[in-house]
């Protein structure tokens, strides 16, 4: 198969595939299959999906450093944008189902609760990335600036994992592992950047 | 939200007139209920339940939600774990060991408790520290009555409760979660407060295992974790005992754990709560709406410090 055709298979395949867990969730929600307190399951699942897609996005960058297979590059955007979409779903579930859409209550939590602040910070850090994920954005911004802007994914990842720590009651081994993976990926990214800048000078 | 008012029930409410006139029949019914209770593979029925004081008239949480969404960490951390795993708990025979500063220490069998204390219905709000709430019709009797029965010595200040202690029936995921057995404690004046009950059933049925069979504490003005399930031991003590959650994380779970909308938990804001049966988010009331009844217990205490 041609590389360019492979690229579009990966791109459009992933755009669709990443939405599947969300569609299942909505289907289970609407057909009453989420147990006695469905909105809580919605809240947890949307949050987990966002976190896992974020991890996948970051991991892809790492894998690309070793496998220079061009079509793989097409996977990053769907993964990244779906991370943002699941994070939005998570926030909307919190606002409209958990907080009942009552702004007074939600604002009080935004002002006073660390995990809510971290969640909003994560969402805000990802917002410019999602907005500049359209084809013309790198050209409009200039590729260098666009690339620099997308380094925001790292502070976003740190904020998101901090949010996860705050909301987990027991130290879940999974959260510890995810944290270590993020730190490892960040370290490898920093190392690569340093090697690159050395090579230039 | 309906405002809670101090209930002074009419005498006809305390004992239905027909029951009063037919005491013999009532006693027979109680005996039959007891027999049903004590029989293995028992039918799900309780001795005669009479209406008790302090009940709210708010809409009840459904039995399915109250039995399907539980925190009973001995059977796992997920809300549906207890419903799936608590059947492993053998509740018959069951007795509570009473020890410490009491006149008559020793074990009391469930049958004796049920025969001795009339079972009342108390419809209470239940407010979890996790900012959700239910309204549950408990069936039980005042803890004060049991304490009066065993005789509390004058130097006792605290009551310590211990849940069943058998890690072999716990799912593996639950075994390392907390330091078992689960322990909770009340100050003696809290324990003998008329709101505080030992519940042996709910919704007119024998207590389901996942809700703390066969006997559990219900302290409606405190966060739910104070209302320890499946009690095996009650000790009267002079010194303050160390409850399980308080020991695990004293900053998060205070000894008193009174429902208080102004004191934040690190993960739960606490000013509001979600009623699980309708999903509505409502304001949390001081002492879970029982302020008029219990505020005196904490007169002069800084509830921000003693949360």
């Amino acid at each position: 198969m041609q590389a360019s055709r492979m690229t579009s298979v990966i791109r459009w395949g992933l755009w669709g595939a990443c939405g599947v867990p969300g569609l299942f969730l909505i289907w289970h929600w609407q057909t009453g299959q989420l147990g006695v307190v469905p909105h809580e399951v919605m809240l947890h699942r949307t949050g987990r999906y966002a976190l896992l897609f974020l991890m996948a996005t970051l991991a892809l960058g790492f894998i690309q450093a070793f496998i220079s297979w061009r079509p793989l590059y097409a996977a990053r955007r769907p993964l990244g944008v779906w991370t943002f979409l699941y994070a939005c779903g998570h926030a909307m579930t919190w606002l409209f189902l958990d907080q009942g859409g009552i702004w007074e209550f939600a604002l009080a939590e935004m002002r006073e609760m660390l995990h809510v602040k971290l969640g909003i910070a994560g969402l805000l850090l990802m917002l410019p990335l999602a907005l500049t994920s359209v084809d013309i954005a790198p050209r409009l911004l200039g590729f260098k600036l666009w690339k620099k802007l997308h380094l925001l994914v790292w502070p976003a990842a740190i904020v998101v994992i901090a949010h996860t720590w705050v909301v987990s009651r027991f130290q879940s081994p999974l959260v510890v592992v995810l944290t270590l993976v993020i730190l490892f990926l960040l370290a490898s990214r920093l190392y690569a950047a340093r090697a690159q800048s050395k090579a230039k000078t | 939200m309906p405002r809670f008012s101090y209930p002074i029930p009419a005498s006809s409410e305390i004992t239905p007139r027909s029951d009063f006139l037919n005491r013999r029949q009532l006693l027979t019914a109680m005996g039959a209920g007891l027999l049903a209770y004590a029989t293995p593979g028992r039918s799900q029925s309780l001795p005669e339940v009479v209406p008790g004081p302090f009940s709210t008239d708010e809409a009840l949480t459904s039995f399915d939600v109250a039995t399907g969404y539980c925190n009973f960490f001995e059977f796992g951390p997920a809300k549906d774990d207890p419903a799936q795993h608590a059947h492993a708990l053998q509740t018959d025979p069951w007795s509570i060991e009473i020890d410490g500063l009491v006149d008559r220490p020793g074990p009391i069998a469930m049958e004796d408790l049920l025969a001795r204390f009339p079972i009342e219905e108390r419809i209470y709000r239940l407010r979890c520290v996790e900012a959700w709430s239910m309204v549950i019709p408990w069936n039980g009797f005042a803890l004060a009555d049991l304490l009066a029965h065993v005789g509390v010595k004058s130097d006792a200040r605290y009551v310590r409760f211990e849940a069943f202690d058998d890690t072999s029936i716990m799912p593996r995921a639950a075994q390392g979660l907390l330091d078992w057995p689960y322990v909770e404690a009340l100050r003696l004046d809290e324990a003998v407060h008329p709101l505080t009950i030992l519940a042996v059933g709910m919704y007119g049925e024998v207590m389901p295992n996942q809700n703390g069979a066969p006997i559990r504490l219900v302290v409606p003005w405190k966060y739910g974790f104070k209302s320890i399930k499946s009690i095996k031991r009650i000790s009267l003590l002079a010194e303050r005992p160390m409850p399980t959650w308080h020991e695990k994380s004293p900053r998060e779970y205070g000894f008193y754990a009174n429902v208080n909308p102004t004191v934040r938990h690190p993960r739960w804001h606490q000013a509001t709560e979600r009623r699980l049966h309708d999903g509505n988010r409502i304001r949390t009331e001081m002492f879970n709406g029982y302020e008029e009844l219990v505020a005196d217990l904490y007169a002069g205490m800084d509830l921000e410090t003693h949360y």
Side-chain angles (χ1 to χ4, degrees):
Chain A
M1 208 188 279
Q2 256 182 323
S4 67
R5 196 186 301 164
M6 202 59 221
T7 302
S8 45
V9 166
I10 287 185
R11 175 178 295 150
W12 298 113
L14 266 182
W15 274 116
C18 294
V20 170
L23 283 176
F24 262 94
L25 185 59
I26 290 172
W27 176 48
H28 285 158
W29 176 37
Q30 290 302 319
T31 53
Q33 296 179 66
L34 295 182
V36 291
V37 184
H39 92 272
E40 189 180 63
V41 180
M42 299 273 290
L43 190 66
H44 289 166
R45 292 234 185 120
T46 48
R48 269 168 217 179
Y49 294 161
L51 178 59
L52 291 176
F53 276 100
L54 179 61
M55 301 293 296
T57 313
L58 296 177
L60 194 64
F62 180 74
I63 293 165
Q64 279 177 312
F66 296 95
I67 305 170
S68 53
W69 186 48
R70 195 109 180 104
L72 205 55
Y73 196 78
R76 296 202 80 179
R77 202 188 298 177
L79 285 177
V81 171
W82 273 106
T83 302
F84 180 72
L85 291 177
Y86 281 115
C88 284
H90 186 56
M92 293 299 111
T93 305
W94 177 78
L95 181 59
F96 291 105
L97 297 182
D98 185 79
Q99 296 295 308
I102 303 169
W103 280 97
E104 183 200 346
F105 295 170
L107 287 172
E109 300 226 357
M110 290 179 191
R111 273 195 306 271
E112 294 174 45
M113 302 306 290
L114 178 60
H115 67 277
V116 181
K117 288 178 194 168
L118 287 168
I120 292 170
L123 207 58
L124 290 178
L125 284 167
M126 283 189 280
L127 179 65
L129 309 190
L131 290 179
T132 58
S133 282
V134 287
D135 278 338
I136 50 162
R139 263 180 293 150
L140 283 180
L141 290 172
F143 188 64
K144 259 193 177 162
L145 180 62
W146 183 87
K147 237 186 144 179
K148 228 176 221 173
L149 181 71
H150 279 243
L151 289 176
L152 279 179
V153 73
W154 293 105
I158 289 164
V159 163
V160 163
I161 201 71
H163 169 85
T164 310
W165 275 88
V166 176
V167 295
S168 20
R169 165 169 18 200
F170 298 105
Q171 268 170 20
S172 136
L174 182 65
V175 176
V176 175
V177 168
L178 291 179
T179 309
L180 292 175
V181 169
I182 285 183
L183 290 176
F184 170 77
L185 292 172
L186 177 60
S188 78
R189 184 70 183 77
L190 288 172
Y191 179 80
R194 213 170 129 233
Q196 214 172 26
S197 68
K198 258 191 192 160
K200 267 185 201 162
T201 51
Chain B
M1 197 179 128
R3 184 75 198 136
F4 182 78
S5 61
Y6 193 94
I8 303 167
S11 57
S12 61
E13 267 178 43
I14 296 171
T15 306
R17 190 164 169 76
S18 57
D19 289 346
F20 181 70
L21 294 174
N22 297 309
R23 277 164 292 175
R24 253 165 235 270
Q25 279 176 22
L26 178 63
L27 284 173
T28 318
M30 281 177 72
L34 255 185
L35 201 64
Y37 191 92
T39 311
R42 62 187 188 250
S43 63
Q44 299 298 298
S45 63
L46 276 180
E48 187 82 5
V49 177
V50 298
F54 310 120
S55 285
T56 170
D57 56 5
E58 286 158 84
L60 298 184
T61 301
S62 76
F63 184 79
D64 287 348
V65 171
T67 56
Y69 189 90
C70 311
N71 278 330
F72 197 171
F73 284 82
E74 283 89 332
F75 294 108
K79 302 292 187 242
D80 55 353
D81 278 338
Q84 285 177 37
H85 301 295
H87 59 83
L89 181 65
Q90 191 55 250
T91 59
D92 181 25
W94 191 278
S95 62
I96 298 182
E97 188 71 29
I98 313 268
D99 60 20
L101 302 168
V102 290
D103 298 327
R104 286 173 292 283
I108 299 190
M110 267 315 280
E111 302 86 83
D112 298 338
L113 288 173
L114 289 167
R116 185 172 295 278
F117 303 108
I119 306 302
E120 292 179 349
E121 180 189 65
R122 305 277 190 107
I123 306 173
Y124 285 165
R125 289 175 288 274
L126 171 78
R127 171 62 157 81
C128 181
V129 70
E130 299 165 358
W132 52 262
S133 63
M134 299 185 183
V135 177
I136 296 181
W138 300 108
N139 309 122
F141 54 89
L143 173 61
D145 292 346
L146 173 63
L147 294 180
H149 171 64
V150 298
V152 176
K153 289 190 195 290
S154 61
D155 46 349
R157 290 287 174 274
Y158 292 93
V159 187
R160 178 185 184 275
F161 304 85
E162 195 179 295
F164 78 95
D165 183 15
D166 182 1
T167 45
S168 73
I169 62 166
M170 296 182 192
R172 191 189 283 267
Q175 290 180 2
L177 278 184
L178 290 168
D179 203 2
W180 310 114
Y182 193 79
V183 170
E184 258 308 335
L186 297 172
R187 231 169 46 190
L188 185 58
D189 57 347
E190 299 174 324
V192 299
H193 191 282
L195 272 172
T196 306
I197 59 167
L198 288 172
V200 295
M202 54 198 267
Y203 299 83
E205 298 197 22
V206 168
M207 188 66 75
N209 276 18
Q210 63 265 40
N211 296 85
I215 186 165
R216 63 169 292 171
L217 186 69
V218 178
V219 197
W221 73 92
K222 293 176 179 283
Y223 292 123
F225 69 87
K226 294 296 287 184
S227 295
I228 182 172
K229 299 180 173 83
S230 304
I231 299 169
K232 264 299 196 185
R233 181 185 298 276
I234 297 178
S235 314
L236 276 291
L237 303 168
E239 303 295 327
R240 190 165 103 173
M242 180 60 87
T244 302
W245 280 112
H246 185 53
E247 183 170 33
K248 176 174 169 65
S249 186
R251 202 171 63 88
E252 296 186 25
Y253 309 100
F255 174 82
Y256 288 97
N258 292 318
V259 175
N260 188 337
T262 66
V263 174
R264 309 272 161 267
H265 180 281
R267 286 188 298 284
W268 299 291
H269 189 261
Q270 304 304 25
T272 63
E273 68 199 44
R274 231 169 351 85
R275 272 291 153 82
L276 287 189
H277 42 274
D278 52 19
N280 288 343
R281 190 164 276 269
I282 55 175
R283 268 173 227 286
T284 292
E285 304 274 332
M286 186 65 199
F287 295 114
N288 202 21
Y290 299 99
E291 184 168 13
E292 286 167 60
L293 294 167
V294 300
D296 286 351
L297 294 172
Y298 311 101
M301 279 174 65
D302 179 359
L303 296 176
E304 303 246 331
T305 323
H306 302 281
Y307 52 90

